[in-house]
Amino acid sequence: MDISYYIHNRETGKMELHFDKSEYDALTDEQRSEIKSAFLWGRRSGCWISRAKEPNLWRAERVAQSIGLGDGGEQGERLSFAEQQERKAERAEHRAERLEIKADAACAKGEALQKPINDLHGDIAFFTQPNINTSAGRKFTRQRDKMFAAYEKGFDEFNKSEYYRHRAQTARKTADRPEMRDRAFLNRRIEECEASIRKFKRNIDMCELYSKTSPEKAEGYAKQIDYWAERIEIELDKLGYYQDAMDALGGVQYSRENVKPGYIVRIGRYKNHPMKVLSCGPKNFTGMAGDGLVLKYPYAEITEIVRAEEEKPEDTVQPFKIGETFNVRGETYNI
C-alpha cells in the first residue's frame, strides 16, 4: 500500500486520510481548507477522519482524490447497529464524566479566586480605603486591585463551570437514550427503514434490468447491485434493532380496533392539546386540534385516550344551511 492513501473504515463508517506532515505542508491553502472542511484531525489515530459517515462519503472521497491520494480500500469489520449505539452511549457517558470533572475544577478555581475578597466580607475599611500616594499606600492599592481582578476572573470560571455542566447533562441524555422509550420515535425509525429497503430493492431491480439491456455495462451494474444489497443488509439490521426496542415497550398500544371516530386523544408532541379523532385508517388516524387544524398521525403517536365516546355518522349534524356565508381564517365561503 502507498504511504499516502485513503481508506474506508468499516468499523466507524468513516473515511480516513493517511499521509505525512511534509505532504500536508506541501499542499496549497485551498487544498488544506478543503481537507479541514470535510475532515477532522484524529490525535489518537494520527490521521484525518471524515466528518460524514457512510453512505454520505462522496464529498470526502472527492477531496481525497483531488489531493492525489490512492484508494486503500476498506479496513475493519462493520459493527452491528446495536454495537454502534452501545459505543455511542459509552462515549457519551465518558464525555459526561470528563465534563463534570472540568466543571468541578472550574468551580473550585472560581472559589479560590474569590476567596481573598470573600474572607474580607464586612471589613468596610478595606473596601473604602482611599488611594494614598505613599509607598505603602500604592502597594496596598495594587494588592487590592489584583484581588478585585481575581474576583472578576472567578465569575468567568463559574460561567465556565456552568457551561461544562450543561454539556455534561446533554451527554448524559445521549447516553441514557430516552428516545428508545418513545413509541412514536421508534415507529418513525421503523417506517424510515422499511421505506429505504423498498427503495433499495427497486434500485436493484433497475440495475438488473439495465444490465440485461446493456451487457457491455454489466460489470458496473453488478457493483451497483452489490452496493445496494449491502445497504439493504444495513437497513435490515437497523430495522431489527428498532423493532426489538418497540417489542420491549409492548408494541404500538392503539389501532383502529381500539380508537374510533369521536374519541378525544392526546399525542406526544401536543400532549397539552387533546385532539378529536375524525377518521381511522389502517396505520394512521385523522385528528383535529382545538384550532381546527386537521392532520394525519400514526397510532404510535397516541399516548392517552382522554374520552372514549364513539361518534356515529348519523350523530354528525351539518351546521350550515344553503345560502349561508361563513368565514374561516380570513376566507369567505358561500354554501
Side-chain angles (χ1 to χ4, degrees):
M1 184 180 293
D2 296 334
I3 297 176
S4 303
Y5 58 93
Y6 68 89
I7 63 170
H8 177 196
N9 190 326
R10 290 171 60 86
E11 186 173 335
T12 62
K14 297 193 173 187
M15 185 169 290
E16 299 177 0
L17 306 184
H18 294 262
F19 53 89
D20 293 334
K21 187 176 185 303
S22 59
E23 294 181 82
Y24 178 78
D25 293 336
L27 297 174
T28 64
D29 291 341
E30 183 179 355
Q31 288 175 321
R32 293 179 194 174
S33 177
E34 282 287 312
I35 292 175
K36 291 179 180 179
S37 66
F39 294 84
L40 292 171
W41 175 253
R43 288 182 294 176
R44 294 184 178 179
S45 57
C47 65
W48 291 91
I49 303 174
S50 65
R51 296 175 183 268
K53 297 179 67 175
E54 61 179 3
N56 302 312
L57 294 175
W58 59 271
R59 183 169 181 268
E61 185 173 5
R62 187 184 66 186
V63 172
Q65 293 173 347
S66 69
I67 60 178
L69 298 183
D71 186 355
E74 298 181 342
Q75 288 188 5
E77 293 295 329
R78 188 186 306 279
L79 298 177
S80 68
F81 189 71
E83 290 172 328
Q84 294 176 29
Q85 295 300 102
E86 187 175 347
R87 281 197 176 188
K88 180 180 177 181
E90 289 176 355
R91 288 197 300 268
E93 185 67 32
H94 293 157
R95 184 166 63 251
E97 292 174 357
R98 292 195 302 270
L99 289 168
E100 286 175 350
I101 291 173
K102 287 185 176 181
D104 292 339
C107 184
K109 186 176 180 180
E111 291 174 352
L113 288 170
Q114 293 190 348
K115 186 176 185 303
I117 291 293
N118 289 333
D119 289 346
L120 293 170
H121 183 72
D123 187 351
I124 304 301
F126 173 83
F127 295 99
T128 60
Q129 174 70 39
N131 297 330
I132 301 175
N133 193 19
T134 63
S135 177
R138 288 192 296 270
K139 180 179 179 181
F140 171 79
T141 300
R142 286 194 299 270
Q143 182 63 27
R144 185 171 59 180
D145 290 343
K146 287 181 180 179
M147 293 170 67
F148 284 148
Y151 191 82
E152 291 294 329
K153 289 181 180 178
F155 287 118
D156 294 336
E157 292 299 322
F158 287 134
N159 290 336
K160 189 186 297 184
S161 175
E162 186 65 24
Y163 167 73
Y164 286 140
R165 292 198 191 282
H166 178 71
R167 287 187 58 191
Q169 289 176 358
T170 302
R172 292 282 184 200
K173 184 177 180 180
T174 301
D176 186 49
R177 292 184 289 181
E179 67 276 4
M180 300 305 294
R181 299 184 291 276
D182 183 350
R183 288 185 175 86
F185 171 85
L186 295 174
N187 187 70
R188 289 193 294 271
R189 299 291 83 79
I190 289 171
E191 289 182 346
E192 287 174 2
C193 290
E194 291 174 340
S196 296
I197 291 170
R198 291 193 297 269
K199 176 183 175 182
F200 299 154
K201 286 182 177 179
R202 289 196 299 269
N203 291 344
I204 290 177
D205 292 339
M206 293 297 292
C207 288
E208 290 177 343
L209 177 62
Y210 291 152
S211 65
K212 292 177 181 179
T213 56
S214 304
E216 68 279 2
K217 299 180 181 179
E219 184 178 352
Y221 287 125
K223 291 182 179 179
Q224 284 294 312
I225 290 173
D226 290 341
Y227 171 76
W228 293 121
E230 185 178 28
R231 292 291 305 278
I232 289 176
E233 184 180 347
I234 293 171
E235 290 299 318
L236 284 172
D237 183 25
K238 289 171 59 177
L239 177 61
Y241 176 81
Y242 288 125
Q243 286 177 334
D244 289 344
M246 179 70 86
D247 292 341
L249 296 177
V252 179
Q253 292 180 303
Y254 302 102
S255 67
R256 67 194 307 178
E257 300 300 323
N258 52 13
V259 175
K260 304 297 181 182
Y263 279 25
I264 304 298
V265 301
R266 202 186 303 274
I267 66 174
R269 69 179 81 177
Y270 306 124
K271 59 183 179 181
N272 295 325
H273 302 281
M275 60 179 56
K276 182 179 181 180
V277 177
L278 300 181
S279 63
C280 299
K283 292 185 177 181
N284 304 309
F285 73 94
T286 303
M288 181 176 66
D291 59 357
L293 183 64
V294 176
L295 291 173
K296 286 188 176 182
Y297 302 92
Y299 291 105
E301 294 268 4
I302 300 176
T303 59
E304 179 188 0
I305 295 180
V306 179
R307 191 183 69 191
E309 294 182 8
E310 184 176 359
E311 186 178 81
K312 303 294 183 181
E314 57 270 17
D315 295 336
T316 304
V317 179
Q318 170 58 258
F320 304 109
K321 296 180 180 179
I322 296 177
E324 286 187 335
T325 300
F326 64 96
N327 184 281
V328 177
R329 297 184 179 180
E331 297 289 337
T332 302
Y333 298 89
N334 295 317
I335 302 298

